[in-house]
Amino acid sequence: MSDTPFGFGLPPEEPDDGDEGKKKDQQSGGGQGPANPFGFGPGGPGGDNPLAAMFGSLNPNDLGAAFQQLGQMLSYEGGPVNWDMAKQIARQTVSQGTPDGTKDASIGPAERTQVDEAVRLADLWLDDATSLPSGAGSAVAWSRAEWVEATLPVWKELVDPVAERVGAAMGDVLPEEMQAMAGPLLGMMRSMGGAMFGTQIGQAVGVLAGEVVGSTDIGLPLGPVGKAALLPLNIESFGKDLSVPQEEVRLYLALREAAHQRLFAHVPWLRSHLFGAVEGYARGIKVDTAKLEDVVGQFDPQNPEELQQALQQGMFQPEDTPEQKAALARLETALALVEGWVDAVVHSAAKPRLSSADALRETLRRRRATGGPAEQTFATLIGLELRPRRLRDASRLWASLTDARSVDGRDGLWAHPDMLPTASDLDDPDGFVHREQLDFSELDKMLGEAASGPSEKPNLTKDEPKDDEKGREKGEEKGDDDK
């Protein structure tokens, strides 16, 4: 049955009892109820079957034979996402090229040299714009397929928690009285869920690979630690209509990549902070089980694109609770602070050196503010838009901090997450700068006193012979008597 996805369909031994005719009738709109899942036919007298809401009525032998075949095709027994399938589909998507007709290509020596030189020069310029040292141990030029390979481990970390919830929800759509005895069926549904998610994320990551220009485009570190990565083919496409020399485009994007690398390398808590914010938001997402049941119940193996379209519409609903709103605010603020810092630092480094700095800055800001390549990916996969909505506010705040406290004072705020501005601080950047100056003054004083306290005691001991305090005189006299 090569014309049906994942081997869905009736087994060869399915008896010709009229079910097939009824199935075709329903698919053409002539029957009652939804189209059949997996190619199963609707039953007549078995309408009281607890599985009828999803699968229609079949006699147990037919149902068992069908699931036996389905089990052979969906034998995946890993986690909530079939990542082998995701990788395969992502690479297939990349090989098809982008809508403008650009095909992926291997990276040549000349492109590798250009990327290496751009990153080294970018790091040199950034030395004047930030107190954080270089975070890129190496610079790499990736093809789109190489970007897929390098970033999948991080996608796994981001998506698995939500996929777990979908896997559990797929079991919940079974009637309650069947869940206790439907162990094998639940296992099959989880395998199907892994295949669904693997297909969807593979397509999303494959499309994303045709748009990103580096490993940090979405504000999260997707690549290996210490590797500043650029995609020459995508950089060329990005700069094609900008009327800016290609070398300036490459250098500006290298500045952004290198700035992200510095931040993530030298702020050790930042990665877990951002990923924790994503996971915290994901914990408050509800799976729309009604939509999920509808998707499963109406799945037609002859039209697999219907399943894809249903998934693209999303089945995740954020809970309207104070905790969920706080989690979303925390994530949006964290993303805005990262992107705002990079924007401010890169502008400071590029403005005196690149004539196109202002134009490139505005282009990148609009690209991020309108969602960029990541927004649809995450909105589809986990119901979350990774859009730094307050990028400009955050950039202004970092610029104000630079003027008020110097580069060292600005970058010092990354020492601990509690020192960073909050969402309300983005509304009043001047107030935050002023308040933090006062607070840091008091903090410096307290830290100075605490640091000097222990070190003064030895000095007092050394000065004791010169001290005429009675307590010490008595101690000395007692020491003489002991002798």
Side-chain angles (χ1 to χ4, degrees), residues 272-358:
S272 60
H273 179 76
L274 286 169
F275 281 57
V278 173
E279 186 174 354
Y281 179 81
R283 281 196 300 268
I285 287 179
K286 297 184 299 184
V287 179
D288 188 346
T289 53
K291 177 179 281 190
L292 179 61
E293 182 173 351
D294 186 58
V295 169
V296 174
Q298 298 192 46
F299 178 69
D300 178 5
Q302 302 299 325
N303 296 289
E305 65 276 5
E306 292 181 1
L307 176 61
Q308 177 182 338
Q309 292 170 1
L311 290 174
Q312 288 174 342
Q313 293 173 1
M315 59 181 69
F316 309 108
Q317 299 173 335
E319 291 183 343
D320 188 18
T321 63
E323 292 79 11
Q324 181 69 349
K325 291 177 180 178
L328 179 59
R330 175 171 169 249
L331 177 58
E332 289 183 338
T333 301
L335 286 170
L337 290 175
V338 168
E339 293 297 279
W341 183 88
V342 169
D343 179 75
V345 167
V346 168
H347 183 69
S348 176
K351 177 68 173 175
R353 299 175 174 96
L354 294 178
S355 59
S356 58
D358 288 334

Side-chain angles (χ1 to χ4, degrees), residues 147-170:
W147 182 89
V148 169
E149 294 277 353
T151 61
L152 272 179
V154 180
W155 289 114
K156 185 177 188 299
E157 186 176 349
L158 287 168
V159 175
D160 270 354
V162 178
E164 288 275 9
R165 299 176 66 85
V166 177
M170 291 190 76

Side-chain angles (χ1 to χ4, degrees), residues 441-457:
S441 175
E442 293 298 321
L443 180 60
D444 291 341
K445 182 179 178 181
M446 289 188 292
L447 291 176
E449 291 174 352
S452 63
S455 62
E456 289 176 355
K457 291 181 181 179

Side-chain angles (χ1 to χ4, degrees), residues 366-410:
R366 290 179 179 178
R367 188 173 189 248
R368 287 297 279 129
T370 56
E375 181 176 339
Q376 286 304 316
T377 300
F378 269 83
T380 297
L381 294 174
I382 60 176
L384 172 64
E385 296 177 355
L386 281 180
R387 183 192 304 181
R389 302 174 187 275
R390 311 203 62 183
L391 167 61
R392 294 176 187 270
D393 294 335
S395 183
R396 281 194 293 268
L397 185 146
W398 290 119
S400 298
L401 283 167
T402 306
D403 295 338
R405 296 186 54 80
S406 78
V407 167
D408 289 343
R410 176 201 67 199

Side-chain angles (χ1 to χ4, degrees), residues 48-395:
D48 58 348
N49 188 324
L51 296 177
M54 291 195 307
F55 301 121
S57 298
L58 292 174
N59 69 61
N61 292 332
D62 296 339
L63 184 63
F67 271 112
Q68 182 178 3
Q69 184 193 22
L70 188 60
Q72 292 171 353
M73 297 300 175
L74 290 178
S75 58
Y76 174 71
E77 296 180 353
V81 178
N82 189 331
W83 287 102
D84 291 336
M85 179 178 292
K87 178 179 176 180
Q88 178 183 357
I89 291 177
R91 291 184 66 94
Q92 289 175 352
T93 304
V94 165
S95 68
Q96 294 170 2
T98 50
D100 63 0
T102 305
K103 298 285 187 178
D104 194 22
S106 299
I107 303 299
E111 292 170 315
R112 297 186 190 280
T113 299
Q114 289 173 344
V115 167
D116 184 69
E117 291 177 350
V119 171
R120 283 195 288 111
L121 182 56
D123 254 338
L124 184 64
W125 289 2
L126 287 172
D127 285 339
D128 297 331
T130 174
S131 62
L132 300 180
S134 174
S138 61
V140 293
W142 283 341
S143 66
R144 293 166 179 170
E146 288 172 326
W147 182 89
V148 169
E149 294 277 353
T151 61
L152 272 179
V154 180
W155 289 114
K156 185 177 188 299
E157 186 176 349
L158 287 168
V159 175
D160 270 354
V162 178
E164 288 275 9
R165 299 176 66 85
V166 177
M170 291 190 76
D172 292 341
V173 301
L174 284 175
E176 184 176 353
E177 63 272 18
M178 287 295 297
Q179 293 189 22
M181 65 180 84
L185 178 59
L186 288 176
M188 287 306 307
M189 294 189 70
R190 290 191 182 97
S191 293
M192 180 185 171
M196 289 164 57
F197 246 103
T199 300
Q200 188 66 10
I201 192 173
Q203 291 169 342
V205 170
V207 171
L208 194 58
E211 301 175 352
V212 294
V213 295
S215 71
T216 54
D217 269 25
I218 67 171
L220 297 174
L222 295 179
V225 176
K227 282 190 177 182
L230 296 176
L231 282 73
L233 182 60
N234 292 355
I235 290 175
E236 182 180 353
S237 298
F238 173 80
K240 184 170 55 178
D241 300 323
L242 296 182
S243 301
V244 175
Q246 192 67 221
E247 58 271 18
E248 288 198 20
V249 175
R250 184 188 309 112
L251 186 51
Y252 193 88
L253 295 175
L255 281 166
R256 289 183 54 83
E257 178 73 10
H260 276 103
Q261 293 293 334
R262 289 188 181 221
L263 192 59
F264 287 116
H266 299 291
V267 182
W269 54 265
L270 181 57
R271 186 183 190 278
S272 60
H273 179 76
L274 286 169
F275 281 57
V278 173
E279 186 174 354
Y281 179 81
R283 281 196 300 268
I285 287 179
K286 297 184 299 184
V287 179
D288 188 346
T289 53
K291 177 179 281 190
L292 179 61
E293 182 173 351
D294 186 58
V295 169
V296 174
Q298 298 192 46
F299 178 69
D300 178 5
Q302 302 299 325
N303 296 289
E305 65 276 5
E306 292 181 1
L307 176 61
Q308 177 182 338
Q309 292 170 1
L311 290 174
Q312 288 174 342
Q313 293 173 1
M315 59 181 69
F316 309 108
Q317 299 173 335
E319 291 183 343
D320 188 18
T321 63
E323 292 79 11
Q324 181 69 349
K325 291 177 180 178
L328 179 59
R330 175 171 169 249
L331 177 58
E332 289 183 338
T333 301
L335 286 170
L337 290 175
V338 168
E339 293 297 279
W341 183 88
V342 169
D343 179 75
V345 167
V346 168
H347 183 69
S348 176
K351 177 68 173 175
R353 299 175 174 96
L354 294 178
S355 59
S356 58
D358 288 334
L360 289 170
R361 182 191 200 188
E362 187 60 27
T363 299
L364 267 298
R365 279 182 165 187
R366 290 179 179 178
R367 188 173 189 248
R368 287 297 279 129
T370 56
E375 181 176 339
Q376 286 304 316
T377 300
F378 269 83
T380 297
L381 294 174
I382 60 176
L384 172 64
E385 296 177 355
L386 281 180
R387 183 192 304 181
R389 302 174 187 275
R390 311 203 62 183
L391 167 61
R392 294 176 187 270
D393 294 335
S395 183

